[in-house]
Amino acid sequence: MKHLPLATLIAAALAAPLASAETLNVYNWSDYIAEDTIEKFTAATGIEVNYDVYDSNEVLEAKMLAGNSGYDVVVPTSDFLQRQIAAGAYQPLDKSKLGNLGNMDADLMEGLAGYDEGNAHAVIYMWGTTGIGYNVDMIQERLGDDAPTDSWSLVFDPAVAAKLADCGISVLDAPTELLPAAMNYLGLDPRSTEKADFEAGADLLMAVRPYIRYFHSSQYISDLANGDVCVSVGWSGDIFQARDRADEADNGVAVTYVIPKEGALQWFDTMAIPVDAPNPDAAHKFIDFVMDAQITADITNYVWYANGNAASMPLVDEEITSDPGIFPTDAAKQNLWASKVYNARQDRTVTRLWTKVKTGQ
Ligand code: SPD
């Protein structure tokens, strides 16, 4: 037998426990978890976590449909979840391993069942709306007291948007959210899948395209907070995070989020386990850990998104539960619409129109 040098044997012995440590690979949206959630999970379970982030359902979907992503837990939005379940991308949850399932809000989970029959594959992580964040002073300076800050006009009316081009309008790079918002503004059904309606929405976006500085789904948090853009079509909690960052920096930037009076998309992000997850057992432990009332409350208190965990609500800061931008009023709820699941043909139409809008050609 070949004799190895002592230093090599010592190095191997030291490395052994690390090599055998259990790991979990999580793929979540950026800016979407409390600072200490992962640390607490590892302390509670001994499972090390590799944590990656994305800011687009399309990016996640490409990985899920290609397979072999290596991820154990991912966070698709409900409409994308449905399409990916149909493609066989997720494994059924083993509910015997999810002792905290009873913490979830029964009504919200029933709503999710419209996308995932019997809640077989996913549980709600967070939910929110897609609306408008704006810099209060910059808008006032440019549009005065008549600024339509409660309306999609702030972005979709070319005469208004033109006046805001210099301070910067950003828009989510999320075609399945922006086209319906534009359609809704035109008085069309935001859940329509008619080609002509998608085209009308795209035409409206083309009319304001010269005034849009960029399309991006995470950069706007810091840009709004720093006063580098003055209007962002964005996700509710992200805008509140921008407001929070500006407050903490004490930089004189005042950011506000509004659900426009014409209505907005309400969406649900969910936790699911890819069909080929390397460590489904650890994935169940992670999902169950997150469903703990205190852990979910900590996440909501940090990221400013509503969650689907009824037991966590008494532990959520009152500043959050009482904010109508996070928990819409009953009146605002009347104008919210749910994500529509597109088939492949509709998806191609939306993708083609979105490319046209983004390139401005
Ligand atoms: N920074 C976290 C953003 C989470 C947004 N989820 C996507 C919702 C899509 N409708």
Side-chain angles (χ1 to χ4, degrees):
M1 185 182 149
K2 186 178 166 197
H3 291 280
L4 295 171
L6 183 60
T8 307
L9 290 171
I10 292 172
L14 288 174
L18 280 180
S20 64
E22 195 176 356
T23 58
L24 173 78
N25 299 315
V26 177
Y27 197 37
N28 192 3
W29 295 84
S30 51
D31 304 295
Y32 217 28
I33 198 159
E35 280 176 308
D36 57 0
T37 311
I38 297 300
E39 199 181 306
K40 282 184 171 168
F41 174 72
T42 300
T45 62
I47 299 170
E48 298 289 338
V49 178
N50 300 314
Y51 189 83
D52 293 339
V53 297
Y54 55 92
D55 66 3
S56 142
N57 268 307
E58 287 78 4
V59 168
L60 171 63
E61 180 156 279
K63 286 193 197 302
M64 290 303 101
L65 298 186
N68 285 317
S69 67
Y71 291 114
D72 298 298
V73 176
V74 298
V75 187
T77 306
S78 50
D79 46 333
F80 284 78
L81 170 78
Q82 178 172 335
R83 198 161 59 185
Q84 291 157 20
I85 290 171
Y90 297 114
Q91 54 183 276
L93 296 173
D94 180 346
K95 294 186 183 174
S96 71
K97 294 181 177 171
L98 301 177
N100 286 324
L101 204 49
N103 287 345
M104 300 305 287
D105 181 305
D107 289 341
L108 294 178
M109 288 298 283
E110 197 180 316
L112 179 63
Y115 299 89
D116 172 27
E117 200 179 336
N119 298 129
H121 300 85
V123 296
I124 296 171
Y125 180 65
M126 299 282 143
W127 65 267
T129 51
T130 302
I132 300 177
Y134 63 92
N135 180 310
V136 177
D137 300 318
M138 286 178 170
I139 299 302
Q140 164 72 25
E141 279 161 22
R142 285 159 183 81
L143 298 175
D145 291 338
D146 295 333
T149 50
D150 61 348
S151 165
W152 283 106
S153 300
L154 209 53
V155 179
F156 291 150
D157 180 339
V160 174
K163 293 187 182 147
L164 303 176
D166 76 300
C167 59
I169 300 175
S170 83
V171 166
L172 291 169
D173 190 1
T176 62
E177 303 188 40
L178 264 295
L179 284 177
M183 287 150 57
N184 179 65
Y185 181 72
L186 293 171
L188 300 168
D189 177 1
R191 303 188 84 236
S192 166
T193 53
E194 293 297 319
K195 192 173 170 208
D197 293 346
F198 289 139
E199 286 172 346
D203 286 348
L204 175 65
L205 284 159
M206 285 299 275
V208 294
R209 177 66 188 88
Y211 315 119
I212 296 174
R213 187 174 292 174
Y214 65 76
F215 295 78
H216 198 279
S217 300
S218 50
Q219 185 187 329
Y220 65 97
I221 303 180
S222 52
D223 283 354
L224 264 182
N226 296 331
D228 292 334
V229 294
C230 59
V231 178
S232 293
V233 175
W235 293 311
S236 44
D238 288 7
I239 310 281
F240 282 94
Q241 288 179 48
R243 185 185 76 176
D244 203 39
R245 285 187 202 179
D247 288 350
E248 277 183 10
D250 199 14
N251 61 4
V253 172
V255 175
T256 291
Y257 176 73
V258 65
I259 298 174
K261 64 181 179 196
E262 297 89 353
L265 170 70
Q266 179 184 22
W267 44 261
F268 295 88
D269 287 335
T270 69
M271 291 185 284
I273 306 176
V275 68
D276 53 3
N279 195 346
D281 190 55
H284 282 88
K285 285 185 182 142
F286 183 79
I287 291 172
D288 201 46
F289 180 81
V290 169
M291 285 195 297
D292 173 84
Q294 185 65 59
I295 295 297
T296 292
D298 290 349
I299 297 173
T300 285
N301 288 335
Y302 192 75
V303 302
W304 300 79
Y305 279 100
N307 65 61
N309 189 311
S312 78
M313 294 317 289
L315 306 170
V316 173
D317 296 340
E318 212 244 320
E319 186 186 9
I320 291 179
T321 52
S322 64
D323 197 308
I326 303 172
F327 289 92
T329 61
D330 287 342
K333 277 185 195 162
Q334 301 303 314
N335 288 334
L336 299 180
W337 67 84
S339 318
K340 181 79 184 165
V341 186
Y342 298 147
N343 65 28
R345 184 177 47 81
Q346 293 152 355
D347 210 40
R348 276 195 300 278
T349 301
V350 166
T351 303
R352 176 178 59 77
L353 291 169
W354 192 242
T355 303
K356 187 176 153 191
V357 169
K358 282 175 68 180
T359 58
Q361 290 160 2

